[in-house]
Amino acid sequence: MEPSPDARKRPRRLRCDAELNRDRIIDAARKVYRREGLSASMASIARAAGVGIATLFRRFPTRTELIAAVFEDAMERNRAAAVAAGANESAWDGFRGYIETVCGLQADNRGFAEVLTMNFGSAKDLERKRQEGFAAFTGLIERAKAEGRLRKDFTPEDLPILLMANAGVLGAAGDAAGEASRRLVGQMLRAFAADPAEPLPPAPAPKRLLRGMVRQRRAGAPAN
């Protein structure tokens, strides 16, 4: 007996609903991670997506799988930026461009700095991209030192330290966060340079910076 047209349509509809839920969860997680970092709970992401916690876990059985889906594009951008920087004729120009790109990715989503230091053994493609990006960056460091443009005592561990400092600026500067972050990165690149004559991006206007900090403090203040 042939299945009815409605019966044939049902599996297709279920697949469409499942895909819609997946996209909704990823979009919600991206926004929550951008605001709260990777410490955000799965329950808060489910609420933001408008789905039940059981639905979330059906689509993403582990937190790592959800993080991998959210940050797949950003990790590819990081990998591509590191590889392109390594191909730059000037290792210092490549190094500077890569640092600016990574800090820009962090400005787009606060969780990105944590993702760079995570091990994604179960998400093989993401882990491969992370390792390729790191390998390109470490090679770039050695070339920039050999050029005499990067301090000899710079280590790969200085990048997560910079990202931690940048996270503080992004979290505190409110509306002026983008300008304040670029200023910090400029200051740090000058500190990393063997010849500290690198030009700095302009600082945020004092009133704009103060206004942004006050607004950010008010937004984070607990309700009475």
Side-chain angles (χ1 to χ4, degrees):
M1 181 178 176
E2 285 291 324
S4 68
D6 286 345
R8 286 196 297 269
K9 289 177 182 176
R10 198 171 299 125
R12 187 180 307 148
R13 186 166 59 246
L14 289 172
R15 285 195 299 271
C16 289
D17 289 346
E19 197 59 36
L20 181 62
N21 280 339
R22 184 181 189 279
D23 292 344
R24 188 181 296 150
I25 290 166
I26 290 175
D27 186 56
R30 186 175 290 117
K31 291 173 183 174
V32 172
Y33 288 149
R34 182 178 295 125
R35 185 175 63 246
E36 300 176 24
L38 299 189
S39 61
S41 70
M42 297 288 268
S44 68
I45 292 168
R47 283 194 299 272
V51 302
I53 191 71
T55 297
L56 188 151
F57 278 109
R58 270 198 304 274
R59 302 307 302 166
F60 300 99
T62 68
R63 176 174 170 270
T64 299
E65 288 179 71
L66 178 57
I67 292 171
V70 170
F71 288 95
E72 184 177 6
D73 289 346
M75 191 66 81
E76 172 56 26
R77 287 168 62 192
N78 172 73
R79 186 204 66 79
V83 171
N88 196 310
E89 186 175 346
S90 164
W92 174 254
D93 287 347
F95 175 87
R96 180 175 57 195
Y98 176 70
I99 294 290
E100 290 169 348
T101 296
V102 172
C103 290
L105 288 169
Q106 185 185 24
D108 288 341
N109 194 312
R110 286 172 55 190
F112 182 69
E114 296 174 70
V115 168
L116 278 183
T117 60
M118 289 178 67
N119 187 304
F120 289 93
S122 59
K124 294 189 183 341
D125 190 53
L126 195 72
E127 178 62 16
R128 175 185 59 78
K129 290 175 181 177
R130 188 185 72 83
Q131 290 188 9
E132 285 181 7
F134 182 73
F137 178 55
T138 54
L140 187 61
I141 290 171
E142 295 310 311
R143 282 186 56 219
K145 287 180 180 180
E147 274 185 359
R149 302 291 304 278
L150 179 64
R151 291 176 60 110
K152 295 290 187 186
D153 53 0
F154 181 90
T155 73
E157 290 70 36
D158 286 316
L159 177 57
I161 292 172
L162 167 58
L163 292 173
M164 284 189 280
N166 195 41
V169 168
L170 292 168
D175 294 344
E179 296 152 275
S181 171
R182 287 189 290 274
R183 179 78 172 184
L184 169 69
V185 173
Q187 292 278 16
M188 294 307 297
L189 283 169
R190 252 202 337 199
F192 297 154
D195 176 14
E198 286 289 309
L200 283 176
K207 287 184 179 178
R208 177 172 167 78
L209 181 60
L210 179 61
R211 217 169 30 239
M213 292 172 69
V214 168
R215 187 172 299 155
Q216 189 68 18
R217 278 202 303 273
R218 287 175 179 167
N224 292 327

